[in-house]
Amino acid sequence: VRRKWRERAREHLDNLAIPPGSLGDLLDLAEQLAAVKQSLKPSVRKKTVVTMAGDHGVTGEGVSAFPREVTLQMVANFVAGGAAINVLAGVAGARVLVVDMGVAADLDNSIKEKILSCKVDYGTRNMAAGPAMTREQAVQSLETGIEIAGRLAGEGVELLATGDMGIGNTTPSSAILAAITGRSAREVTGRGTGVTGDDLENKIRVIQKALEVNNPDPKDPVDVLAKVGGFEIGGIAGLILGAAYHRVPVVVDGFISSAGALLAKSLAPASVDYMIAGHRSMESGHRYMLEELGLKPLLNLNLRLGEGTGAALAMNLVESAAQVINKMLTFEDAGVSRNTPGAPA
Amino acid sequence: VRRKWRERAREHLDNLAIPPGSLGDLLDLAEQLAAVKQSLKPSVRKKTVVTMAGDHGVTGEGVSAFPREVTLQMVANFVAGGAAINVLAGVAGARVLVVDMGVAADLDNSIKEKILSCKVDYGTRNMAAGPAMTREQAVQSLETGIEIAGRLAGEGVELLATGDMGIGNTTPSSAILAAITGRSAREVTGRGTGVTGDDLENKIRVIQKALEVNNPDPKDPVDVLAKVGGFEIGGIAGLILGAAYHRVPVVVDGFISSAGALLAKSLAPASVDYMIAGHRSMESGHRYMLEELGLKPLLNLNLRLGEGTGAALAMNLVESAAQVINKMLTFEDAGVSRNTPGAPA
């Protein structure tokens, strides 16, 4: 079925009144949207960015340049509307839904009213000393994401984007990348929010240690998530799986979101057909994640913030692709002469 | 003055509640907008894409895969609203202003009512046999663009984008690039709308011949425009100069628009400060133009259509950058803890 829709979409796109293929990646994206929505008039008008927050016991090992309480402070900033994701989602015409997947503090009621509270636990445990969470908690975080996607699809959301907030969460994301691909801790580890020099060497050692202590099974993504993951990363993986199940395209943000996408792909390889890579992050290991996912990023703006910012910026390109297939005229309809291959005028 | 605004903008951006620099190229763009508008609250809300159309006598040499009448047909398609630029400008919230700079036909009144008629002549002459236009016509096309920018600035337009339509116009654009940079015809020539093999070799020979026959003076951009340019390319160069004069940032589209930008830079080097490169085109010589302009493109989506499409797609990123500096909270205002460099938590 999906192949049929791809072919029908391509046939239509090939008839648009432009030199063949001259809208480049936008045409590939339009074809993907048509296949996902099983329609030559795919709509992505109603958009939501889901920003999942969680804390990480591994911050006790000094892997981040920011203190742990910043996760909570940023959730408050999201609710106040003053963060990058609020501003960029606003430009994209998208709603921001903040989810507490595992912030290590009780949130004020004034904040709770404006977010989804799905706390699995008060932060993960230190993965350098043992599993970050139990297998039950890993399943719970995945199921939470799946359920949220289902609820949003039920509300008519036509395009999802993933986002994250969690001080320290490039560390589990790097560990997930290493566990799934077999790459070394050094290859997968980057500067995160800005660690350099000795601190970066320490971060690499911590990730190496977490992998040795836990020995996650690369064939079992739930084991990987439980041993070296995070609650918000599990939530993101679940959100992607739920989006795919409900045939909602999902724009994957940067490094942390792509760690979730790797888990989603491991659990259900076909989910990749529903993913759109929003951008290529500055975080050095992101290129390996994109390779593993087989996705080409839409943007490359040297971002390394998370929150869903790169995905939000890319949503406008997804909207553009949808409108290209919805609204542009063909050669015939526009009364434009075709080229005559091999015999230029 | 401009440097002062750049410094003030950077100081503000450095205090936003994000890891330093983590919004990457968006921060550079926000800084540029602040300097151009001389304000820490730059607005780019009111947007216009100016798509300039013109015909080219050199099409008689078989340099394009499409017949010359397509220029006129596409102007009609722009007016009907069925072209890519209509759709993409719509997503960007921008108006499309079509300008007849030199289409080789009289336009129907029904079309004329909806565009600007500034026809310099009925297409250029064949530059492989002599100058494409007179020096007076070159000056006229530049002045027309300057005047249009002034009129739009007067109407309150806050962000401009350039666009082009003209069958055969990659040929003069390549010739302008060669004339200004001294690169060979082979280096600067690409496939345009889709010429390959012998046709591509012919196109290279035609460009080589136009340069030999006319010997344009690289130090005199008006001479380059007159001998190997086009009316719409002169109009684009003028539009950029006028935008700079009125301190309106201008998103430069792909290969043809960048040929106009090269002429604008030659005439007034400071105009580059007002330019934003929308994207990197698939047309092979575009990278040399971007190098010469010293601009880093926002998008790289394998586009090669023109019309202003790449610039329109990038307008949303410019809007995003403006809103980042306008609306995001600082560490202090958001109550978020700063990092402590050299001493991670």
Side-chain angles (χ1 to χ4, degrees), chain A residues 43-61:
Chain A
S43 172
V44 291
R45 200 185 52 78
K46 193 166 177 185
K47 303 174 182 72
T48 298
V49 180
V50 181
T51 302
M52 303 237 175
D55 273 308
H56 298 271
V58 74
T59 51
E61 302 285 338

Side-chain angles (χ1 to χ4, degrees), chain A residues 101-150:
Chain A
M101 288 296 299
V103 178
D106 286 314
L107 277 60
D108 289 348
N109 281 331
S110 62
I111 289 176
K112 274 190 178 170
E113 283 166 10
K114 294 179 179 163
I115 70 167
L116 275 185
S117 294
C118 306
K119 201 191 289 290
V120 179
D121 206 344
Y122 290 80
T124 57
R125 281 166 287 171
N126 180 0
M127 71 180 193
M133 64 185 88
T134 65
R135 189 169 178 99
E136 290 67 32
Q137 288 179 322
V139 170
Q140 185 185 339
S141 64
L142 288 165
E143 285 179 347
T144 300
I146 293 171
E147 201 177 301
I148 292 170

Side-chain angles (χ1 to χ4, degrees), chain B residues 4 73 95 102 107 119 149 165 294 303 314 328:
Chain B
K4 188 191 74 185
Q73 293 166 345
R95 174 187 171 210
L107 277 62
K119 200 191 291 288
M165 181 67 224
L303 309 175
M328 275 182 67

Side-chain angles (χ1 to χ4, degrees), chain A residues 17-26 59-70 73-74 77 80-84 87-88 90-92 193-195 199 296-305 307 309 312-313 316-317 319-321 323-324 327-329 331 334-345, chain B residues 17-26 59-70 73-74 77 80-84 87-88 90-92 193-195 199 296-305 307 309 312-313 316-317 319-321 323-324 327-329 331 334-345:
Chain A
I18 55 171
S22 59
L23 278 172
D25 299 352
L26 230 45
T59 51
E61 302 285 338
V63 292
S64 177
F66 281 82
R68 174 163 154 158
E69 66 258 30
V70 167
Q73 292 165 346
M74 284 303 298
N77 195 14
V87 170
L88 300 179
V91 177
T193 49
V195 300
D199 295 332
K296 186 182 166 193
L298 290 172
L299 295 168
N300 189 359
L301 294 171
N302 296 311
L303 308 175
R304 50 183 183 79
L305 177 56
E307 301 181 6
T309 49
L313 282 166
N316 185 264
L317 299 175
E319 178 69 49
S320 297
Q323 297 217 15
V324 160
K327 294 188 177 169
M328 273 182 66
L329 295 182
F331 281 104
V336 174
S337 306
R338 282 178 182 275
N339 60 331
T340 43
Chain B
I18 54 172
S22 59
L23 277 172
D25 299 351
L26 229 46
T59 52
E61 303 284 338
V63 292
S64 177
F66 282 82
R68 174 164 155 156
E69 67 259 27
V70 167
Q73 293 166 345
M74 284 302 299
N77 195 15
V87 170
L88 300 179
V91 176
T193 51
V195 300
D199 296 331
K296 187 181 166 195
L298 290 171
L299 295 168
N300 189 0
L301 294 170
N302 296 311
L303 309 175
R304 50 181 182 82
L305 176 56
E307 300 182 7
T309 48
L313 283 166
N316 186 263
L317 299 176
E319 178 69 50
S320 296
Q323 297 217 14
V324 160
K327 294 188 178 170
M328 275 182 67
L329 295 182
F331 280 105
V336 173
S337 307
R338 283 179 181 275
N339 61 329
T340 44

Side-chain angles (χ1 to χ4, degrees), chain B residues 108-340:
Chain B
D108 290 347
N109 282 331
S110 63
I111 289 176
K112 274 190 176 170
E113 283 165 11
K114 294 180 177 161
I115 70 168
L116 274 186
S117 294
C118 307
K119 200 191 291 288
V120 179
D121 205 345
Y122 289 81
T124 56
R125 280 168 285 170
N126 180 0
M127 70 179 192
M133 64 185 87
T134 64
R135 190 171 176 98
E136 289 68 32
Q137 288 179 322
V139 170
Q140 185 184 340
S141 66
L142 288 165
E143 285 178 347
T144 300
I146 293 171
E147 200 176 304
I148 292 169
R151 196 185 314 185
L152 293 171
E155 290 172 9
V157 171
E158 296 167 315
L159 180 65
L160 282 167
T162 67
D164 72 284
M165 181 67 224
I167 293 302
N169 67 6
T170 57
T171 295
S173 299
S174 291
I176 289 168
L177 173 59
I180 286 183
T181 63
R183 289 185 184 274
S184 70
R186 185 168 296 277
E187 276 180 296
V188 299
T189 306
R191 296 176 172 201
T193 51
V195 300
T196 53
D198 289 348
D199 296 331
L200 182 57
E201 289 301 318
N202 173 59
K203 184 177 172 185
I204 294 168
R205 276 194 306 271
V206 169
I207 290 169
Q208 182 59 43
K209 194 172 164 201
L211 292 165
E212 284 166 10
V213 165
N214 290 294
N215 194 26
D217 177 359
K219 303 275 182 239
D220 179 359
V222 178
D223 190 60
V224 173
L225 174 60
K227 287 177 172 166
V228 298
F231 299 130
E232 81 279 38
I233 298 172
I236 289 166
L239 188 84
I240 293 170
L241 293 172
Y245 180 79
H246 294 282
R247 295 194 310 193
V248 176
V250 54
V251 187
V252 179
D253 192 36
F255 193 65
I256 287 85
S257 285
S258 298
L262 284 179
L263 295 173
K265 186 189 174 193
S266 276
L267 286 160
S271 65
V272 172
D273 294 344
Y274 299 82
M275 300 180 197
I276 296 161
H279 75 118
R280 187 168 120 176
S281 163
M282 272 289 272
E283 181 71 7
S284 58
H286 194 217
R287 64 178 182 280
Y288 300 129
M289 291 181 174
L290 291 169
E291 263 174 34
E292 187 73 19
L293 293 167
L295 297 176
K296 187 181 166 195
L298 290 171
L299 295 168
N300 189 0
L301 294 170
N302 296 311
L303 309 175
R304 50 181 182 82
L305 176 56
E307 300 182 7
T309 48
L313 283 166
M315 277 180 144
N316 186 263
L317 299 176
V318 181
E319 178 69 50
S320 296
Q323 297 217 14
V324 160
I325 190 167
N326 268 281
K327 294 188 178 170
M328 275 182 67
L329 295 182
T330 60
F331 280 105
E332 288 69 23
D333 292 340
V336 173
S337 307
R338 283 179 181 275
N339 61 329
T340 44

